[in-house]
Amino acid sequence: MQLVVARIGRAHGIKGEVTVEVRTDEPELRLGPGAVLATDPAATGPLTIETGRVHSGRLLLRFEGVRDRTGAEALRNTLLIAEVDPEELPEDPDEYYDHQLMDLDVVTKDGAEVGRITEISHLPSQDLFIVERPDGSEVMVPFVEEIVTEIDLEEQKAVIDPPPGLIDDRAEVASARDAEAADASESAPEDQA
């Protein structure tokens, strides 16, 4: 199975290094020296990582055969793809590969059916499950411990405890102005007749 593990960014310096946008939780395993990666577009690769280092919080890679800025810049926006055994699991038992989560049934903690995971969106702050509901609509569920309480790969389901309004229209709306209005009406003097 092929997984996208990074996207090549701009050239760094004049010796063929490139910045990369890491798209794996295991960069030391997937993006280490000697790793041979397929590419998209395919004509660009395969690429073999010669060196890697972190500079100012960004991963920099140099590939075999790429010795100058021009060669590095030609790789810009190329996706790096690793071949992964579909049975392989992440080292941390609380981590999952996207392919393990795809098509899981999503149910609430009380067993109500929500839908099926059709996509996983990786955002800077958190990941989101894109869940297709039985009626064809979609709902986005943040993949955070407070909401996704259980992933059961054997049963092929994800159990969620959604806050009000996440999967239904019964959101509790409260604002400071509403609270002030309620307090004002309770403390207003009654008319004396």
Side-chain angles (χ1 to χ4, degrees):
M1 159 177 271
Q2 294 189 325
L3 296 177
V4 173
V5 293
R7 183 183 66 81
I8 298 176
R10 59 185 173 77
H12 179 83
I14 60 172
K15 297 183 180 178
E17 285 184 310
V18 294
T19 62
V20 291
E21 174 189 315
V22 177
R23 294 189 180 175
T24 176
D25 289 338
E26 302 168 315
E28 61 285 340
L29 175 67
R30 308 278 181 225
L31 300 171
V36 179
L37 302 166
T39 60
D40 181 10
T44 308
L47 294 172
T48 302
I49 297 174
E50 187 173 284
T51 63
R53 67 186 177 103
V54 176
H55 175 73
S56 298
R58 292 198 58 94
L59 180 61
L60 302 178
L61 297 178
R62 180 178 301 138
F63 299 99
E64 289 181 5
V66 179
R67 296 282 172 237
D68 59 18
R69 186 174 185 85
T70 303
E73 196 60 43
L75 298 174
R76 192 173 193 160
N77 293 322
T78 298
L79 295 177
L80 299 175
I81 303 167
E83 190 65 40
V84 177
D85 179 351
E87 301 301 314
E88 181 181 331
L89 299 175
E91 290 178 15
D92 185 338
D94 291 331
E95 291 183 2
Y96 302 93
Y97 293 130
D98 287 4
H99 71 273
Q100 293 175 291
L101 301 171
M102 292 298 291
D103 293 323
L104 290 184
D105 292 324
V106 178
V107 297
T108 61
K109 65 181 183 175
D110 57 5
E113 179 185 1
V114 177
R116 180 179 57 85
I117 299 173
T118 57
E119 184 182 339
I120 294 140
S121 180
H122 300 282
L123 303 176
S125 60
Q126 67 191 15
D127 295 335
L128 288 175
F129 290 159
I130 309 301
V131 178
E132 184 177 311
R133 302 188 75 160
D135 66 5
S137 64
E138 289 183 339
V139 63
M140 291 183 266
V141 177
F143 187 21
V144 294
E145 194 174 339
E146 297 80 21
I147 297 174
V148 180
T149 59
E150 179 186 355
I151 299 288
D152 187 335
L153 296 178
E154 284 187 25
E155 294 289 324
Q156 288 290 291
K157 71 178 180 180
V159 179
I160 65 171
D161 184 10
L166 182 67
I167 61 171
D168 57 30
D169 294 332
R170 294 184 302 265
E172 295 174 16
V173 178
S175 71
R177 189 176 348 184
D178 292 341
E180 288 171 8
D183 288 345
S185 67
E186 288 175 10
S187 62
E190 292 181 25
D191 288 336
Q192 305 274 331

